Amino acid sequence: MQYNLVRCLKQSNLEATMNPLRTLCVLGCLLAVAMGNTQSGSRSGRRSNSLDNVEQPSNWVNPRQVEELPNLKQVTLNKLQEMSLEEGATLLDNLYYLSQFNHVFQPDYTPEPSQIKGYIVGERGQRIEFNLNTLVEQVKRQQRFGDDEVTIFIQGLPETNTQVQKATRKLVQAYQQRYNLQPYPTNDYSSEDQRQRSSSEEQQTQRRQQNGEQDDTKTGDLIVIQLGNAIEDFEQYATLNIERLGEIIGNRLVELTNTVNVPQEIIHLIGSGPAAHVAGVAGRQFTRQTGHKLRRITALDPTKIYGKPEERLTGLARGDADFVDAIHTSAYGMGTSQRLANVDFFPNGPSTGVPGADNVVEAAMRATRYFAESVRPGNERNFPAVAASSYQEYKQNKGYGKRSYMGIATDFDLQGDYILQVNSKSPFGKSTPAQQQTGFHQVHQPWRQSSSNQGSRRQ
């Protein structure tokens, strides 16, 4: 007996007693019980700031929770933002576990390339707009594009949400400062934002200038692909065709290297939320087509994958680029605690959220905010981290391995899970060396930008 969850949810009356979705879910829950797991699932255990827990059938939802689930059309980012952190995480957990029964979510939502908009930040800071069909042609018109560093940010959630909009804006501003670009004119600042723009991260830059410190700026080009703006509701979010979208973007990257002569050694691909998985597939597609790997892929709070293709692995994985790093700020909320990269960072340990985040959307967007802070010249070492398996282990100085930095300055030779502390408000980085550890590898290797990490200039 097979049912498609998306089709069920498209029916107008989800409150009917014999709802096929609920029937299927109840049967699934009973099956989990029949498998012999008599222990009740403990969410607090699963969110215990430890990476040693494994998802068990005992964590699946019960029939009462199925009855309380809302229509997918009612699940929006703004709705999740109105919920408490735990309420939003519980709802997403339940939807995720239900999606795993019989592959009821099918990855069949693929927006047309013409629907996926974006922009290049020009030399004067202006937005040069494109859609995926016209991206390469727009890049060709830019003088000196790809002479140094090329950063491509794939936005994974719609900017109609204020948290997403703010995080994206902070990241773009940080790269404008890093690349010595001028901020483009915009009217999306509130009066409160205007007052705060000279505070937090900007104040740090001012202090550095007063102390005579040199900024670690370099030239580069920034492309923003607004994939998230093509996602209108949770149904599209859950059924996003990660493989197809990744292939489309990967093919565009191949065109950039072949027709615009942008070497793959200088391309840094960044994806937030579901776009982190799209970035991973794009990296694999690029390698399939060229035989070469991109320099780096960074995942900013990569999400759970609700709709998975059958008999095929999908999503981000180490090996999708020469170096893959991930920042998990909502591991048990909108994100995932799954190890996906060469190095996975868990600020304040794997948990539902991070300090100062009141809901799952804000928690998910903190990964983008943290990375943006590290991009600003002078802030590259704001997030010292230590290899550890839990926040408790970190606090007890029982970490292991070399210490490094989360963000733009992450060493490319890192492997494993790293834990660090963050502040609840901006600036989020502790900006201080990590505590001395009692593990075997106690010697701190100072941060350096090795020659292997540098993007080669195009000759």
Side-chain angles (χ1 to χ4, degrees):
M1 184 169 58
Q2 297 187 8
Y3 296 97
N4 186 298
L5 178 57
V6 177
R7 291 172 184 163
C8 292
L9 290 170
K10 286 181 178 178
Q11 296 177 2
S12 60
N13 185 7
L14 286 178
E15 304 301 323
T17 304
M18 296 304 294
N19 187 316
L21 166 62
R22 290 177 178 163
T23 302
L24 174 63
C25 296
V26 170
L27 288 174
C29 293
L30 293 175
L31 176 61
V33 174
M35 291 171 65
N37 193 329
T38 58
Q39 298 178 353
S40 61
S42 170
R43 293 187 186 279
S44 60
R46 185 163 49 80
R47 297 177 186 165
S48 61
N49 272 309
S50 173
L51 291 169
D52 298 326
N53 296 299
V54 179
E55 304 293 0
Q56 299 291 339
S58 59
N59 287 325
W60 294 354
V61 296
N62 57 48
R64 179 185 59 80
Q65 291 171 316
V66 173
E67 291 295 322
E68 295 174 353
L69 283 177
N71 185 328
L72 281 193
K73 296 295 185 181
Q74 298 172 338
V75 182
T76 64
L77 289 186
N78 291 336
K79 185 69 175 179
L80 290 171
Q81 196 167 306
E82 293 172 359
M83 298 179 178
S84 69
L85 192 63
E86 285 297 328
E87 288 173 341
T90 298
L91 172 60
L92 293 174
D93 273 354
N94 292 345
L95 290 170
Y96 176 72
Y97 293 132
L98 295 180
S99 73
Q100 303 310 295
F101 290 125
N102 206 24
H103 297 282
V104 288
F105 274 119
Q106 295 300 317
D108 53 13
Y109 174 60
T110 308
E112 293 295 326
S114 59
Q115 295 178 286
I116 302 174
K117 311 294 184 181
Y119 57 91
I120 304 166
V121 180
E123 290 185 349
R124 297 185 301 277
Q126 74 276 24
R127 285 194 187 198
I128 303 168
E129 297 183 347
F130 62 82
N131 62 54
L132 279 187
N133 284 334
T134 61
L135 167 60
V136 176
E137 290 302 318
Q138 282 288 24
V139 169
K140 286 180 179 179
R141 298 189 181 102
Q142 310 309 310
Q143 295 183 354
R144 298 185 298 277
F145 187 96
D147 281 352
D148 200 335
E149 195 173 76
V150 174
T151 299
I152 303 174
F153 174 54
I154 310 176
Q155 172 195 6
L157 295 172
E159 282 187 285
T160 51
N161 180 270
T162 56
Q163 292 291 344
V164 177
Q165 184 183 89
K166 184 174 183 179
T168 303
R169 186 176 71 234
K170 291 288 186 181
L171 185 63
V172 171
Q173 289 174 344
Y175 270 104
Q176 287 176 321
Q177 189 171 356
R178 178 176 174 84
Y179 293 156
N180 293 309
L181 301 172
Q182 298 298 318
Y184 53 81
T186 178
N187 296 321
D188 61 358
Y189 292 110
S190 65
S191 57
E192 181 180 359
D193 284 338
Q194 290 282 10
R195 291 192 298 269
Q196 292 179 348
R197 286 184 67 193
S198 60
S199 62
S200 61
E201 299 103 323
E202 289 83 356
Q203 287 180 351
Q204 278 193 291
T205 302
Q206 293 173 3
R207 285 195 296 270
R208 294 186 70 259
Q209 292 174 346
Q210 292 172 358
N211 294 333
E213 300 178 43
Q214 296 296 316
D215 287 340
D216 182 23
T217 56
K218 62 193 307 182
T219 61
D221 299 285
L222 175 64
I223 296 175
V224 178
I225 299 176
Q226 298 169 301
L227 172 61
N229 289 352
I231 301 174
E232 297 179 355
D233 52 46
F234 190 84
E235 181 180 315
Q236 294 180 349
Y237 172 88
T239 60
L240 196 66
N241 193 332
I242 290 169
E243 287 292 322
R244 181 60 189 139
L245 288 167
E247 290 171 357
I248 292 172
I249 293 176
N251 290 336
R252 296 298 181 273
L253 298 180
V254 173
E255 291 181 55
L256 284 180
T257 59
N258 288 343
T259 65
V260 191
N261 198 27
V262 177
Q264 78 275 357
E265 296 93 343
I266 67 172
I267 297 176
H268 182 188
L269 196 57
I270 305 173
S272 67
H277 298 292
V278 173
V281 177
R284 291 199 294 275
Q285 177 70 3
F286 182 89
T287 302
R288 280 193 292 264
Q289 297 295 323
T290 66
H292 301 286
K293 288 187 177 182
L294 300 178
R295 178 172 65 93
R296 179 180 181 182
I297 294 176
T298 297
L300 303 178
D301 201 49
T303 59
K304 305 174 184 67
I305 300 179
Y306 291 79
K308 301 177 182 178
E310 296 186 29
E311 300 180 356
R312 183 177 184 179
L313 298 175
T314 189
L316 179 72
R318 64 183 64 89
D320 290 341
D322 283 335
F323 179 68
V324 181
D325 58 316
I327 301 174
H328 303 262
T329 52
S330 183
Y332 299 128
M334 293 193 73
T336 178
S337 60
Q338 184 178 358
R339 299 171 176 93
L340 300 172
N342 296 96
V343 57
D344 292 81
F345 291 96
F346 295 86
N348 279 59
S351 59
T352 306
V354 288
D358 296 327
N359 56 75
V360 291
V361 180
E362 185 175 13
M365 287 299 99
R366 282 298 174 88
T368 303
R369 295 289 304 277
Y370 296 165
F371 194 83
E373 183 175 312
S374 77
V375 170
R376 286 186 179 275
N379 292 352
E380 294 89 348
R381 307 182 202 185
N382 268 20
F383 297 94
V386 172
S389 295
S390 70
Y391 188 53
Q392 181 180 13
E393 189 175 80
Y394 172 87
K395 292 289 286 183
Q396 293 175 348
N397 301 337
K398 294 182 180 178
Y400 46 85
K402 63 175 288 186
R403 286 181 257 176
S404 188
Y405 297 92
M406 180 184 78
I408 194 69
T410 298
D411 284 328
F412 280 27
D413 61 349
L414 290 190
Q415 298 285 335
D417 305 312
Y418 276 68
I419 308 292
L420 65 152
Q421 286 183 296
V422 290
N423 297 321
S424 60
K425 296 181 179 180
S426 177
F428 299 106
K430 289 294 185 180
S431 304
T432 55
Q435 302 177 49
Q436 182 70 24
Q437 301 293 303
T438 58
F440 178 77
H441 302 283
Q442 297 183 16
V443 179
H444 170 55
Q445 299 294 329
W447 176 84
R448 64 187 182 280
Q449 188 73 19
S450 63
S451 58
S452 62
N453 296 354
Q454 292 282 359
S456 305
R457 285 181 176 270
R458 189 177 60 193
Q459 300 300 320

